[in-house]
Amino acid sequence: EVKVKQRVWDARGEIERLMREATSVLANQTHMLAVAATDQGRSYSAGYANILEIPEFFDIDVTKSILSMLDHVEQLMDLFGRDVSDQPLHLLVGDDFGFQPMFPVSMMYTRFTLGSTHGAMGVVGPSRMDYGFVQPTLRYMRSLLDQIGSEW
């Protein structure tokens, strides 16, 4: 946690650098694809190589769908907006994505606020991902962003 906090904390001066560092750290910690998007129309991602080691992503249609999603910030924001519950973590699995190639995929994410900027950050992986490991990691990242955002 100390190393994670240091990397993210050191980038707190500007939102672009902060989001790039946060997605990179999240991808490294979870060994999955980390994604984030803000209401400013910006998206961030890291960990592309991680998904290429996961059998579900050996299917080119699945991987192509994921990579296409990353090219369209509005599509990513739509996914982040599907679960409107007040829970701190949200989960999309298989059918929740709305198109067949994504059936073996899941995305766990959380929302954050940095000053006047709102956004969401999460990980994309197989529907069989280790949720017990990803959940606390994502909660910790959210708490870091909340802490940084409270100072803006």
Side-chain angles (χ1 to χ4, degrees):
E1 284 184 11
V2 172
K3 187 176 180 180
V4 168
K5 183 173 184 175
Q6 182 180 10
R7 282 187 58 192
V8 174
W9 198 258
D10 288 347
R12 71 186 182 279
E14 87 178 73
I15 195 163
E16 294 292 318
R17 185 170 165 235
L18 174 64
M19 295 310 302
R20 281 193 308 270
E21 195 63 37
T23 53
S24 176
V25 167
L26 188 57
N28 288 338
Q29 292 297 310
T30 61
H31 305 289
M32 292 195 214
L33 175 65
V35 295
T38 65
D39 59 1
Q40 298 173 332
R42 301 283 308 195
S43 67
Y44 308 87
S45 53
Y48 301 101
N50 293 338
I51 63 170
L52 298 178
E53 296 176 9
I54 300 170
E56 286 83 351
F57 296 94
F58 294 170
D59 182 334
I60 192 69
D61 291 329
V62 173
T63 303
K64 184 179 173 183
S65 295
I66 295 292
L67 297 177
S68 176
M69 173 186 72
L70 297 177
D71 283 340
H72 301 95
V73 102
E74 60 280 347
Q75 186 179 11
L76 189 55
M77 288 301 284
D78 174 61
L79 290 173
F80 283 144
R82 291 198 180 175
D83 185 342
V84 294
S85 71
D86 291 336
Q87 298 299 315
L89 297 180
H90 308 278
L91 180 64
L92 299 177
V93 181
D95 291 342
D96 296 336
F97 290 97
F99 49 102
Q100 197 279 327
M102 298 288 279
F103 285 179
V105 175
S106 67
M107 179 169 75
M108 183 176 280
Y109 65 96
T110 189
R111 293 186 182 91
F112 61 85
T113 301
L114 295 168
S116 62
T117 300
H118 300 278
M121 164 182 275
V123 296
V124 176
S127 57
R128 62 176 176 78
M129 81 167 71
D130 184 353
Y131 299 104
F133 176 75
V134 172
Q135 197 171 31
T137 305
L138 198 53
R139 281 183 198 271
Y140 184 70
M141 290 301 295
R142 178 188 172 147
S143 73
L144 279 178
L145 293 177
D146 285 347
Q147 189 176 4
I148 292 167
S150 71
E151 297 178 5
W152 283 12

